[in-house]
């Protein structure tokens, strides 16, 4: 009987761990926009990890025997996690991820965008100015040469 209570506790712990992993993937989805195929991959990874945890625990602690208390323990552990810890865990982690995003935005993204604006002003504007003026000059030159060519034809007649 003591052994079964111990095993029941092990599988409740498995349920808690599975709930934690589930929330990890939920946090990823809430923090980052992902495409549908990424969501499918994440779901597949979640189920593979969950299956490996359960199978490992069944073989390691219960000699590969499937008993009702294994599934009841996992269910109770997951339910306890979702009711007691999930909201807090998600809020804390979303707050941390948003803070890291803001810091990275301030440290990396903003300086890069400022650098790009500076490069545009220093390099691209003068180059585009020169190209536009060369184009205008060549267009005017073509028009003048065309007019000159027309005058030469009239004087020859």
């Amino acid at each position: 009987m003591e052994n079964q209570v111990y095993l029941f506790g092990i599988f409740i712990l498995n349920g808690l761990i599975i709930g934690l992993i589930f929330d990890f993937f939920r946090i990823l989805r809430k923090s980052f926009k992902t495409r549908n195929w990424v969501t499918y991959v994440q779901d597949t990874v979640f189920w593979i990890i969950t299956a490996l945890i359960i199978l490992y625990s069944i073989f390691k602690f219960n000699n590969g025997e499937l008993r009702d208390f294994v599934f009841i323990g996992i269910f109770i552990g997951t339910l306890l996690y979702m009711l007691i810890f999930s909201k807090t865990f998600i809020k804390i982690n979303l707050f941390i991820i948003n803070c890291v995003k803001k810091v990275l935005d301030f440290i990396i993204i903003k300086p890069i965008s400022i650098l790009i604006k500076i490069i545009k002003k220093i390099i691209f504007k003068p180059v585009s100015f020169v190209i536009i003026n060369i184009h205008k000059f060549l267009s005017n030159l073509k028009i003048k040469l065309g007019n000159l060519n027309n005058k030469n034809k009239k004087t020859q007649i």
Side-chain angles (χ1 to χ4, degrees):
M1 183 68 174
E2 278 182 38
N3 190 32
Q4 287 183 342
V5 172
Y6 169 74
L7 290 173
F8 189 65
I10 293 284
F11 289 105
I12 288 175
L13 183 61
N14 275 318
L16 291 169
I17 292 169
I18 290 167
L20 183 78
I21 294 169
F22 181 74
D23 273 352
F24 172 76
F25 285 104
R26 285 173 63 189
I27 290 166
L28 285 177
R29 288 184 187 154
K30 287 183 178 187
S31 299
F32 305 101
K33 302 276 184 206
T34 57
R35 295 183 179 205
N36 285 341
W37 70 270
V38 175
T39 302
Y40 300 141
V41 170
Q42 288 176 346
D43 287 345
T44 305
V45 169
F46 167 75
W47 284 111
I48 290 171
I49 291 170
T50 300
L52 291 174
I53 289 170
I54 292 171
L55 288 173
Y56 173 80
S57 295
I58 288 171
F59 282 103
K60 175 77 176 176
F61 300 107
N62 205 26
N63 297 324
E65 293 181 30
L66 287 176
R67 304 273 179 123
D68 293 340
F69 68 85
V70 169
F71 298 105
I72 293 169
I74 292 170
F75 177 76
I76 289 173
T78 305
L79 186 65
L80 285 173
Y81 175 82
M82 291 298 174
L83 292 174
I84 297 171
F85 302 111
S86 183
K87 285 183 182 179
T88 306
F89 183 74
I90 289 174
K91 283 181 185 178
I92 290 170
N93 283 291
L94 286 176
F95 175 77
I96 291 169
I97 289 172
N98 287 332
C99 287
V100 168
K101 280 177 157 180
K102 287 178 184 176
V103 167
L104 289 176
D105 183 53
F106 183 73
I107 292 174
I108 296 172
I109 304 298
K110 289 201 180 191
I112 288 175
S113 65
I114 290 171
L115 184 65
I116 289 172
K117 285 179 183 177
I118 291 171
I119 288 172
K120 281 182 178 179
K121 285 182 180 179
I122 292 174
I123 295 173
F124 294 126
K125 279 195 176 183
V127 168
S128 66
F129 175 78
V130 169
I131 290 172
I132 288 170
N133 283 323
I134 288 173
H135 183 265
K136 285 180 182 177
F137 173 76
L138 291 175
S139 294
N140 288 337
L141 184 63
K142 184 178 174 184
I143 291 170
K144 287 180 182 178
L145 288 175
N147 290 340
L148 185 64
N149 194 15
N150 286 339
K151 284 182 182 179
N152 284 339
K153 285 182 182 179
K154 286 182 183 177
T155 56
Q156 288 177 354
I157 297 181

